[in-house]
């Protein structure tokens, strides 16, 4: 947790940005049962609640009054029964005081507070909940049917929260640097352990153990697979085979829940084949090109720059043909990289995505206001600001089903050498990912002078020495 002034200042800034005449209601997460009530997944607080209220306890609701300088925390004190099983906890009043919140009340009073605001004709601003329990709670508080939240959530709140969260303060950047250290330890652990005959599960398990030693666990399901062509491959069932590439896309969270997200792709044997090296270097060139040019105001330009660098490289290898810029304009590079260049990174590994294009929200309401949104909520219109952290994660994947589909549809035939792709159906995929902090004049990679081995030479040397 940061000092209480941080949370007071954030709530005041939100109050300043939001329209008058209402309240903001932020629900914290509850415990999420795995297979029965008392056996829950590791607790993860809602990131927006954490951003404004800083508390890691379950079952809290925070209210920010937009017309008065009043914040209220709702929650229930531990009973003796709770203390027997879970130990003593500060009272809700003490929790509130620890983050500069002046008022507190029992959980049930949250409903009365929200209902009173609604009866008084005040707007109740809330974000679309993404967990079933959150949907039910929000309905209980507002009286709005569970199926109706999409019609009532606050686009004003989503826009302002994203604008604030995506620009990191100095103390948040320090947290992001701590998250980098966790990512570094994870990925070097994976590289160290990889050799023929070792199970992907063993590598994933050892690497994830590091996140629990150094922080609060993984920031998303680790991808550890020799089938890197499957973009989010969560199976760890393979056994490392000489000659194949292992793709590791993984990150950890600090104890304050700031995330890292890195990808490295490296040869199981410790040595790239000539073809693997050539394709790897095309991806690395695209990654480095983004690093070279990323600065405030950009995002789509970065995505296109990475596509152009990939097209140039793939043309050089004879897998594509024609003019690189025209190939990008025709959409041909999508066959090899069917995903965006990157995403925001912060307290969520895809920062603020619960509010954005990939979130649960009915995106139509956002699009109606697209002209005034330039945060990560609408990625095509995203304008990076100093203090934003984003991932730089180009890739080249050979996805047989996707190639076959394009080929059958004769898509972009003038740019793609389909006849040469068949021999690569067993190649897999390569992705390289680092985390960039946008500065006033450009960007720096998180980690400063330190980086996870990334060039062919660095990876081969690291794997030989370890
Ligand atoms: N690292 C997983 C993702 O970016 O989707
Ligand atoms: Mn990523």
């Amino acid at each position: 947790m940061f000092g209480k002034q941080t949370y007071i200042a954030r709530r005041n800034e939100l109050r300043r940005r939001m329209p008058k005449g209402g309240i903001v209601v932020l629900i914290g997460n509850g415990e999420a049962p795995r297979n029965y009530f008392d056996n829950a997944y590791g607790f993860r607080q809602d990131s927006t609640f954490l951003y404004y209220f800083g508390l890691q306890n379950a079952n809290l609701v925070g209210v920010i009054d937009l017309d008065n300088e009043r914040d209220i925390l709702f929650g229930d004190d531990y009973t003796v029964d709770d203390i027997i099983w879970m130990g003593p906890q500060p009272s809700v009043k003490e929790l509130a005081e620890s983050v500069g919140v002046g008022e507190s009340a029992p959980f049930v009073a949250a409903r009365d507070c929200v209902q009173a605001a609604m009866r008084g004709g005040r707007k109740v601003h809330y974000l679309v909940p993404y967990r079933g329990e959150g949907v039910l709670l929000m309905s209980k508080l507002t009286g709005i049917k569970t199926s109706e939240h999409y019609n009532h959530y606050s686009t004003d709140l989503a826009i302002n929260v994203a604008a604030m969260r995506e620009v990191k303060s100095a103390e948040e950047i320090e947290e992001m640097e701590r998250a980098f250290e966790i990512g570094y330890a994870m990925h070097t652990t994976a590289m160290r352990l990889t050799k023929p005959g070792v199970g992907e599960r063993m590598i994933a398990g050892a690497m994830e153990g590091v996140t629990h030693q150094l922080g609060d666990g993984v920031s998303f399901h680790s991808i550890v697979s020799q089938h890197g062509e499957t973009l989010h491959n969560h199976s760890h069932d393979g056994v490392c085979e000489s000659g194949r590439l292992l793709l590791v896309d993984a990150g950890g969270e600090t104890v304050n829940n700031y995330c890292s997200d890195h990808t490295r792709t490296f040869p199981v044997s410790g040595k790239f084949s000539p073809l693997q090296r050539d394709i790897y270097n095309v991806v690395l060139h695209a990654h480095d090109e983004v690093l070279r040019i990323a600065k405030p105001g950009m995002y789509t330009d970065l995505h296109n720059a990475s596509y152009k660098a990939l097209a140039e490289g793939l043309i050089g290898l004879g897998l594509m043909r024609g003019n690189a810029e025209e190939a990008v304009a025709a959409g041909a590079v999508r066959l090899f990289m069917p995903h965006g260049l990157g995403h925001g990174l912060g307290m969520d590994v895809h920062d603020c995505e619960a509010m954005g294009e990939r979130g649960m929200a009915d995106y139509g309401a956002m699009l109606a206001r697209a002209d005034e949104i330039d945060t990560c909520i609408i990625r095509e219109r995203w304008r990076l600001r100093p203090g934003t952290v984003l991932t730089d994660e180009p890739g080249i994947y050979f996805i047989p089903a996707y190639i076959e589909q394009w080929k059958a549809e004769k898509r972009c035939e003038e740019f793609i050498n389909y006849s040469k792709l068949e021999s690569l159906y067993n190649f897999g995929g390569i992705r390289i990912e680092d985390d960039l902090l946008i500065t006033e004049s450009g960007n720096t990679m998180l980690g400063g002078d330190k980086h996870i081995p990334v060039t062919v030479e660095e990876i081969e040397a690291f794997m030989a020495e370890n």
Side-chain angles (χ1 to χ4, degrees), residues 44-62:
R44 176 56 154 86
Q45 186 57 283
D46 172 75
S47 298
T48 299
F49 181 86
L50 201 50
Y51 185 81
Y52 291 103
F53 286 89
L55 296 166
Q56 292 282 9
N57 308 64
N59 302 324
L60 296 171
V61 172

Side-chain angles (χ1 to χ4, degrees), residues 243-296:
R244 290 203 64 90
L245 294 170
L246 185 72
L247 186 150
V248 178
D249 181 348
E253 297 194 2
T254 65
V255 290
N256 288 320
N257 296 117
Y258 284 81
C259 302
S260 70
D261 183 8
H262 294 91
T263 308
R264 288 295 184 268
T265 310
F266 43 91
V268 166
S269 67
K271 212 140 181 63
F272 287 85
S273 73
L275 179 66
Q276 287 170 344
R277 189 193 55 221
D278 287 349
I279 297 175
Y280 186 91
N281 278 333
V282 172
V283 181
L284 186 60
H285 175 56
H287 164 279
D288 289 350
E289 181 62 7
V290 170
L291 188 60
R292 188 179 71 78
I293 65 175
K295 62 174 199 242

Side-chain angles (χ1 to χ4, degrees), residues 290-306:
V290 170
L291 188 60
R292 188 179 71 78
I293 65 175
K295 62 174 199 242
M298 301 178 99
Y299 174 69
T300 298
D301 334 6
L302 292 179
H303 176 83
N304 288 336
S306 73

Side-chain angles (χ1 to χ4, degrees), residues 95-368:
L95 289 175
E97 282 166 5
S98 73
V99 289
V101 171
E103 295 178 44
S104 61
F107 196 80
V108 289
R111 183 170 182 279
D112 300 334
C113 169
V114 172
Q115 296 283 322
M118 292 171 89
R119 274 196 310 276
R122 302 177 76 200
K123 170 99 179 139
V124 173
H125 296 271
Y126 65 93
L127 302 171
V128 177
Y130 51 86
R131 287 188 183 180
E133 288 77 3
V135 172
L136 294 175
L137 174 58
M138 205 43 98
S139 288
K140 216 182 264 178
L141 297 178
T142 59
I144 293 167
K145 285 202 312 203
T146 53
S147 56
E148 287 290 312
H149 286 307
Y150 293 142
N151 298 326
H152 292 274
Y153 80 97
S154 170
T155 46
D156 281 319
L157 183 59
I159 292 165
N160 284 301
V161 168
M164 286 182 67
R165 276 183 50 191
E166 80 173 24
V167 175
K168 271 65 183 173
S169 65
E171 62 188 349
E172 288 183 291
I173 291 165
E174 276 178 34
E175 278 290 321
M176 299 296 294
E177 291 288 357
R178 280 184 203 114
F180 164 83
E181 291 293 341
I182 298 174
Y184 181 91
M186 291 172 80
H187 282 268
T188 49
T189 297
M191 270 184 208
R192 220 173 262 130
L193 290 175
T194 298
K195 47 179 82 55
V198 176
E200 293 167 356
R201 188 174 298 278
M202 148 81 186
I203 298 166
M207 189 182 71
E208 292 186 354
V210 168
T211 68
H212 294 284
Q213 289 165 8
L214 302 179
D216 196 36
V218 295
S219 50
F220 59 97
H221 273 306
S222 304
I223 300 165
V224 179
S225 177
Q226 292 163 103
H227 282 284
E229 77 279 11
T230 302
L231 301 183
H232 279 178
N233 191 341
H234 292 147
S235 159
H236 300 152
D237 289 337
V239 175
C240 289
E241 284 174 39
S242 186
R244 290 203 64 90
L245 294 170
L246 185 72
L247 186 150
V248 178
D249 181 348
E253 297 194 2
T254 65
V255 290
N256 288 320
N257 296 117
Y258 284 81
C259 302
S260 70
D261 183 8
H262 294 91
T263 308
R264 288 295 184 268
T265 310
F266 43 91
V268 166
S269 67
K271 212 140 181 63
F272 287 85
S273 73
L275 179 66
Q276 287 170 344
R277 189 193 55 221
D278 287 349
I279 297 175
Y280 186 91
N281 278 333
V282 172
V283 181
L284 186 60
H285 175 56
H287 164 279
D288 289 350
E289 181 62 7
V290 170
L291 188 60
R292 188 179 71 78
I293 65 175
K295 62 174 199 242
M298 301 178 99
Y299 174 69
T300 298
D301 334 6
L302 292 179
H303 176 83
N304 288 336
S306 73
Y307 262 22
K308 180 163 173 265
L310 292 178
E312 285 165 354
L314 288 164
I315 291 166
L317 296 177
L319 300 176
M320 292 184 76
R321 57 181 164 234
N323 173 280
E325 263 172 43
E326 287 169 14
V328 173
V333 186
R334 196 169 168 78
L335 177 63
F336 301 97
M337 178 176 142
H339 62 72
L341 168 73
H343 50 84
L345 187 69
M347 293 168 100
D348 294 316
V349 70
H350 284 203
D351 216 20
C352 303
E353 207 159 87
M355 288 167 271
E357 58 194 307
R358 303 282 294 281
M360 301 284 285
D362 173 357
Y363 197 36
M366 284 297 176
L367 284 180

Side-chain angles (χ1 to χ4, degrees), residues 86-100:
M86 293 172 292
Q89 275 289 331
S91 66
V92 173
K93 184 169 187 288
E94 288 165 333
L95 289 175
E97 282 166 5
S98 73
V99 289

